[in-house]
PDB file of all heavy atoms in Angstrom:
ATOM      1  N   ASN A 146      41.562-103.039 -11.119  1.00  0.00           N
ATOM      2  CA  ASN A 146      42.518-104.004 -10.538  1.00  0.00           C
ATOM      3  C   ASN A 146      42.928-103.559  -9.062  1.00  0.00           C
ATOM      4  O   ASN A 146      42.682-102.335  -8.730  1.00  0.00           O
ATOM      5  CB  ASN A 146      43.759-104.110 -11.379  1.00  0.00           C
ATOM      6  CG  ASN A 146      44.579-102.802 -11.548  1.00  0.00           C
ATOM      7  OD1 ASN A 146      45.168-102.338 -10.638  1.00  0.00           O
ATOM      8  ND2 ASN A 146      44.346-102.108 -12.713  1.00  0.00           N
ATOM      9  N   THR A 147      43.525-104.455  -8.341  1.00  0.00           N
ATOM     10  CA  THR A 147      43.843-104.149  -6.944  1.00  0.00           C
ATOM     11  C   THR A 147      44.684-102.943  -6.757  1.00  0.00           C
ATOM     12  O   THR A 147      44.457-102.113  -5.826  1.00  0.00           O
ATOM     13  CB  THR A 147      44.509-105.437  -6.295  1.00  0.00           C
ATOM     14  OG1 THR A 147      43.579-106.499  -6.490  1.00  0.00           O
ATOM     15  CG2 THR A 147      44.697-105.153  -4.821  1.00  0.00           C
ATOM     16  N   ARG A 148      45.736-102.836  -7.569  1.00  0.00           N
ATOM     17  CA  ARG A 148      46.701-101.736  -7.396  1.00  0.00           C
ATOM     18  C   ARG A 148      46.020-100.332  -7.607  1.00  0.00           C
ATOM     19  O   ARG A 148      46.220 -99.385  -6.810  1.00  0.00           O
ATOM     20  CB  ARG A 148      47.804-101.784  -8.361  1.00  0.00           C
ATOM     21  CG  ARG A 148      48.851-100.719  -8.273  1.00  0.00           C
ATOM     22  CD  ARG A 148      50.004-100.900  -9.195  1.00  0.00           C
ATOM     23  NE  ARG A 148      50.721-102.191  -8.938  1.00  0.00           N
ATOM     24  CZ  ARG A 148      51.788-102.648  -9.590  1.00  0.00           C
ATOM     25  NH1 ARG A 148      52.107-101.960 -10.673  1.00  0.00           N
ATOM     26  NH2 ARG A 148      52.353-103.746  -9.213  1.00  0.00           N
ATOM     27  N   SER A 149      45.108-100.214  -8.670  1.00  0.00           N
ATOM     28  CA  SER A 149      44.489 -98.901  -8.779  1.00  0.00           C
ATOM     29  C   SER A 149      43.576 -98.650  -7.791  1.00  0.00           C
ATOM     30  O   SER A 149      43.480 -97.504  -7.244  1.00  0.00           O
ATOM     31  CB  SER A 149      43.784 -99.104 -10.203  1.00  0.00           C
ATOM     32  OG  SER A 149      44.693 -99.237 -11.252  1.00  0.00           O
ATOM     33  N   VAL A 150      42.701 -99.610  -7.350  1.00  0.00           N
ATOM     34  CA  VAL A 150      41.805 -99.440  -6.244  1.00  0.00           C
ATOM     35  C   VAL A 150      42.480 -98.994  -4.972  1.00  0.00           C
ATOM     36  O   VAL A 150      42.056 -98.158  -4.226  1.00  0.00           O
ATOM     37  CB  VAL A 150      40.854-100.689  -6.097  1.00  0.00           C
ATOM     38  CG1 VAL A 150      40.010-100.510  -4.817  1.00  0.00           C
ATOM     39  CG2 VAL A 150      40.049-100.953  -7.335  1.00  0.00           C
ATOM     40  N   ALA A 151      43.648 -99.703  -4.675  1.00  0.00           N
ATOM     41  CA  ALA A 151      44.318 -99.400  -3.395  1.00  0.00           C
ATOM     42  C   ALA A 151      44.833 -97.982  -3.456  1.00  0.00           C
ATOM     43  O   ALA A 151      44.906 -97.281  -2.481  1.00  0.00           O
ATOM     44  CB  ALA A 151      45.535-100.417  -3.307  1.00  0.00           C
ATOM     45  N   ASN A 152      45.423 -97.554  -4.575  1.00  0.00           N
ATOM     46  CA  ASN A 152      45.958 -96.252  -4.733  1.00  0.00           C
ATOM     47  C   ASN A 152      44.806 -95.110  -4.521  1.00  0.00           C
ATOM     48  O   ASN A 152      45.066 -94.143  -3.779  1.00  0.00           O
ATOM     49  CB  ASN A 152      46.461 -95.956  -6.210  1.00  0.00           C
ATOM     50  CG  ASN A 152      47.836 -96.539  -6.326  1.00  0.00           C
ATOM     51  OD1 ASN A 152      48.557 -96.678  -5.312  1.00  0.00           O
ATOM     52  ND2 ASN A 152      48.270 -96.945  -7.510  1.00  0.00           N
ATOM     53  N   VAL A 153      43.609 -95.395  -5.127  1.00  0.00           N
ATOM     54  CA  VAL A 153      42.530 -94.415  -4.912  1.00  0.00           C
ATOM     55  C   VAL A 153      42.119 -94.411  -3.428  1.00  0.00           C
ATOM     56  O   VAL A 153      41.900 -93.397  -2.845  1.00  0.00           O
ATOM     57  CB  VAL A 153      41.404 -94.831  -5.776  1.00  0.00           C
ATOM     58  CG1 VAL A 153      40.186 -93.918  -5.497  1.00  0.00           C
ATOM     59  CG2 VAL A 153      41.724 -94.550  -7.219  1.00  0.00           C
ATOM     60  N   ALA A 154      41.928 -95.628  -2.885  1.00  0.00           N
ATOM     61  CA  ALA A 154      41.468 -95.735  -1.495  1.00  0.00           C
ATOM     62  C   ALA A 154      42.457 -95.057  -0.506  1.00  0.00           C
ATOM     63  O   ALA A 154      42.058 -94.320   0.387  1.00  0.00           O
ATOM     64  CB  ALA A 154      41.181 -97.212  -1.123  1.00  0.00           C
ATOM     65  N   LEU A 155      43.746 -95.373  -0.680  1.00  0.00           N
ATOM     66  CA  LEU A 155      44.737 -94.901   0.253  1.00  0.00           C
ATOM     67  C   LEU A 155      44.911 -93.364   0.140  1.00  0.00           C
ATOM     68  O   LEU A 155      45.043 -92.650   1.146  1.00  0.00           O
ATOM     69  CB  LEU A 155      46.099 -95.490  -0.054  1.00  0.00           C
ATOM     70  CG  LEU A 155      46.232 -96.965   0.469  1.00  0.00           C
ATOM     71  CD1 LEU A 155      47.581 -97.540   0.013  1.00  0.00           C
ATOM     72  CD2 LEU A 155      46.043 -97.110   2.055  1.00  0.00           C
ATOM     73  N   ALA A 156      44.745 -92.821  -1.057  1.00  0.00           N
ATOM     74  CA  ALA A 156      44.831 -91.402  -1.356  1.00  0.00           C
ATOM     75  C   ALA A 156      43.614 -90.726  -0.629  1.00  0.00           C
ATOM     76  O   ALA A 156      43.795 -89.564   0.002  1.00  0.00           O
ATOM     77  CB  ALA A 156      44.882 -90.993  -2.767  1.00  0.00           C
ATOM     78  N   SER A 157      42.525 -91.272  -0.711  1.00  0.00           N
ATOM     79  CA  SER A 157      41.263 -90.746  -0.096  1.00  0.00           C
ATOM     80  C   SER A 157      41.388 -90.743   1.440  1.00  0.00           C
ATOM     81  O   SER A 157      41.032 -89.809   2.147  1.00  0.00           O
ATOM     82  CB  SER A 157      40.024 -91.553  -0.549  1.00  0.00           C
ATOM     83  OG  SER A 157      39.918 -91.519  -1.932  1.00  0.00           O
ATOM     84  N   VAL A 158      41.895 -91.908   1.984  1.00  0.00           N
ATOM     85  CA  VAL A 158      42.088 -92.012   3.349  1.00  0.00           C
ATOM     86  C   VAL A 158      42.994 -91.058   3.952  1.00  0.00           C
ATOM     87  O   VAL A 158      42.885 -90.373   4.951  1.00  0.00           O
ATOM     88  CB  VAL A 158      42.377 -93.526   3.879  1.00  0.00           C
ATOM     89  CG1 VAL A 158      42.754 -93.582   5.200  1.00  0.00           C
ATOM     90  CG2 VAL A 158      41.256 -94.435   3.628  1.00  0.00           C
ATOM     91  N   CYS A 159      44.169 -90.897   3.212  1.00  0.00           N
ATOM     92  CA  CYS A 159      45.171 -89.927   3.665  1.00  0.00           C
ATOM     93  C   CYS A 159      44.720 -88.470   3.646  1.00  0.00           C
ATOM     94  O   CYS A 159      44.974 -87.763   4.651  1.00  0.00           O
ATOM     95  CB  CYS A 159      46.419 -90.141   2.767  1.00  0.00           C
ATOM     96  SG  CYS A 159      47.401 -91.557   3.014  1.00  0.00           S
ATOM     97  N   ILE A 160      44.025 -88.053   2.633  1.00  0.00           N
ATOM     98  CA  ILE A 160      43.556 -86.747   2.575  1.00  0.00           C
ATOM     99  C   ILE A 160      42.538 -86.520   3.630  1.00  0.00           C
ATOM    100  O   ILE A 160      42.426 -85.479   4.264  1.00  0.00           O
ATOM    101  CB  ILE A 160      42.993 -86.403   1.122  1.00  0.00           C
ATOM    102  CG1 ILE A 160      44.094 -86.361   0.137  1.00  0.00           C
ATOM    103  CG2 ILE A 160      42.229 -85.061   1.204  1.00  0.00           C
ATOM    104  CD1 ILE A 160      43.718 -86.159  -1.305  1.00  0.00           C
ATOM    105  N   PHE A 161      41.595 -87.477   3.885  1.00  0.00           N
ATOM    106  CA  PHE A 161      40.566 -87.390   4.894  1.00  0.00           C
ATOM    107  C   PHE A 161      41.376 -87.316   6.225  1.00  0.00           C
ATOM    108  O   PHE A 161      40.916 -86.373   7.064  1.00  0.00           O
ATOM    109  CB  PHE A 161      39.702 -88.583   4.933  1.00  0.00           C
ATOM    110  CG  PHE A 161      38.529 -88.548   5.903  1.00  0.00           C
ATOM    111  CD1 PHE A 161      37.330 -87.967   5.551  1.00  0.00           C
ATOM    112  CD2 PHE A 161      38.785 -88.954   7.180  1.00  0.00           C
ATOM    113  CE1 PHE A 161      36.335 -87.959   6.502  1.00  0.00           C
ATOM    114  CE2 PHE A 161      37.786 -88.976   8.163  1.00  0.00           C
ATOM    115  CZ  PHE A 161      36.533 -88.445   7.820  1.00  0.00           C
ATOM    116  N   GLY A 162      42.323 -88.119   6.567  1.00  0.00           N
ATOM    117  CA  GLY A 162      42.964 -88.069   7.755  1.00  0.00           C
ATOM    118  C   GLY A 162      43.762 -86.846   8.006  1.00  0.00           C
ATOM    119  O   GLY A 162      43.659 -86.299   9.119  1.00  0.00           O
ATOM    120  N   PHE A 163      44.498 -86.357   6.982  1.00  0.00           N
ATOM    121  CA  PHE A 163      45.259 -85.056   7.198  1.00  0.00           C
ATOM    122  C   PHE A 163      44.295 -83.928   7.448  1.00  0.00           C
ATOM    123  O   PHE A 163      44.642 -83.157   8.309  1.00  0.00           O
ATOM    124  CB  PHE A 163      46.074 -84.853   5.940  1.00  0.00           C
ATOM    125  CG  PHE A 163      47.242 -85.863   5.807  1.00  0.00           C
ATOM    126  CD1 PHE A 163      47.650 -86.250   4.454  1.00  0.00           C
ATOM    127  CD2 PHE A 163      47.794 -86.438   6.830  1.00  0.00           C
ATOM    128  CE1 PHE A 163      48.686 -87.109   4.348  1.00  0.00           C
ATOM    129  CE2 PHE A 163      48.840 -87.309   6.682  1.00  0.00           C
ATOM    130  CZ  PHE A 163      49.355 -87.651   5.468  1.00  0.00           C
ATOM    131  N   SER A 164      43.216 -83.859   6.661  1.00  0.00           N
ATOM    132  CA  SER A 164      42.336 -82.713   6.930  1.00  0.00           C
ATOM    133  C   SER A 164      41.618 -82.739   8.274  1.00  0.00           C
ATOM    134  O   SER A 164      41.402 -81.766   8.969  1.00  0.00           O
ATOM    135  CB  SER A 164      41.350 -82.603   5.732  1.00  0.00           C
ATOM    136  OG  SER A 164      40.432 -83.821   5.753  1.00  0.00           O
ATOM    137  N   HIS A 165      41.344 -83.918   8.739  1.00  0.00           N
ATOM    138  CA  HIS A 165      40.708 -84.106  10.024  1.00  0.00           C
ATOM    139  C   HIS A 165      41.674 -83.803  11.183  1.00  0.00           C
ATOM    140  O   HIS A 165      41.319 -83.072  12.058  1.00  0.00           O
ATOM    141  CB  HIS A 165      40.218 -85.586  10.288  1.00  0.00           C
ATOM    142  CG  HIS A 165      39.422 -85.867  11.360  1.00  0.00           C
ATOM    143  ND1 HIS A 165      38.009 -85.360  11.379  1.00  0.00           N
ATOM    144  CD2 HIS A 165      39.580 -86.377  12.593  1.00  0.00           C
ATOM    145  CE1 HIS A 165      37.441 -85.729  12.492  1.00  0.00           C
ATOM    146  NE2 HIS A 165      38.393 -86.284  13.230  1.00  0.00           N
ATOM    147  N   VAL A 166      42.942 -84.222  11.034  1.00  0.00           N
ATOM    148  CA  VAL A 166      43.943 -83.913  12.116  1.00  0.00           C
ATOM    149  C   VAL A 166      44.286 -82.400  12.047  1.00  0.00           C
ATOM    150  O   VAL A 166      44.387 -81.720  13.107  1.00  0.00           O
ATOM    151  CB  VAL A 166      45.230 -84.746  11.879  1.00  0.00           C
ATOM    152  CG1 VAL A 166      46.275 -84.199  12.720  1.00  0.00           C
ATOM    153  CG2 VAL A 166      44.949 -86.175  12.174  1.00  0.00           C
ATOM    154  N   TYR A 167      44.268 -81.823  10.892  1.00  0.00           N
ATOM    155  CA  TYR A 167      44.548 -80.377  10.796  1.00  0.00           C
ATOM    156  C   TYR A 167      43.415 -79.592  11.425  1.00  0.00           C
ATOM    157  O   TYR A 167      43.631 -78.617  12.208  1.00  0.00           O
ATOM    158  CB  TYR A 167      44.624 -79.889   9.293  1.00  0.00           C
ATOM    159  CG  TYR A 167      44.536 -78.458   9.121  1.00  0.00           C
ATOM    160  CD1 TYR A 167      45.724 -77.675   9.366  1.00  0.00           C
ATOM    161  CD2 TYR A 167      43.381 -77.818   8.860  1.00  0.00           C
ATOM    162  CE1 TYR A 167      45.593 -76.324   9.259  1.00  0.00           C
ATOM    163  CE2 TYR A 167      43.268 -76.446   8.681  1.00  0.00           C
ATOM    164  CZ  TYR A 167      44.423 -75.694   8.875  1.00  0.00           C
ATOM    165  OH  TYR A 167      44.413 -74.308   8.765  1.00  0.00           O
ATOM    166  N   GLU A 168      42.173 -80.050  11.171  1.00  0.00           N
ATOM    167  CA  GLU A 168      40.992 -79.291  11.772  1.00  0.00           C
ATOM    168  C   GLU A 168      41.098 -79.449  13.378  1.00  0.00           C
ATOM    169  O   GLU A 168      40.755 -78.465  14.109  1.00  0.00           O
ATOM    170  CB  GLU A 168      39.769 -79.800  11.308  1.00  0.00           C
ATOM    171  CG  GLU A 168      38.521 -79.058  11.790  1.00  0.00           C
ATOM    172  CD  GLU A 168      38.520 -77.704  11.349  1.00  0.00           C
ATOM    173  OE1 GLU A 168      39.188 -77.148  10.407  1.00  0.00           O
ATOM    174  OE2 GLU A 168      37.744 -76.875  11.984  1.00  0.00           O
TER     175      GLU A 168
END
Side-chain angles (χ1 to χ4, degrees):
N146 62 76
T147 303
R148 179 178 298 178
S149 297
V150 171
N152 283 332
V153 172
L155 288 176
S157 301
V158 169
C159 285
I160 291 178
F161 182 93
F163 290 149
S164 59
H165 192 75
V166 170
Y167 167 80
E168 184 62 18

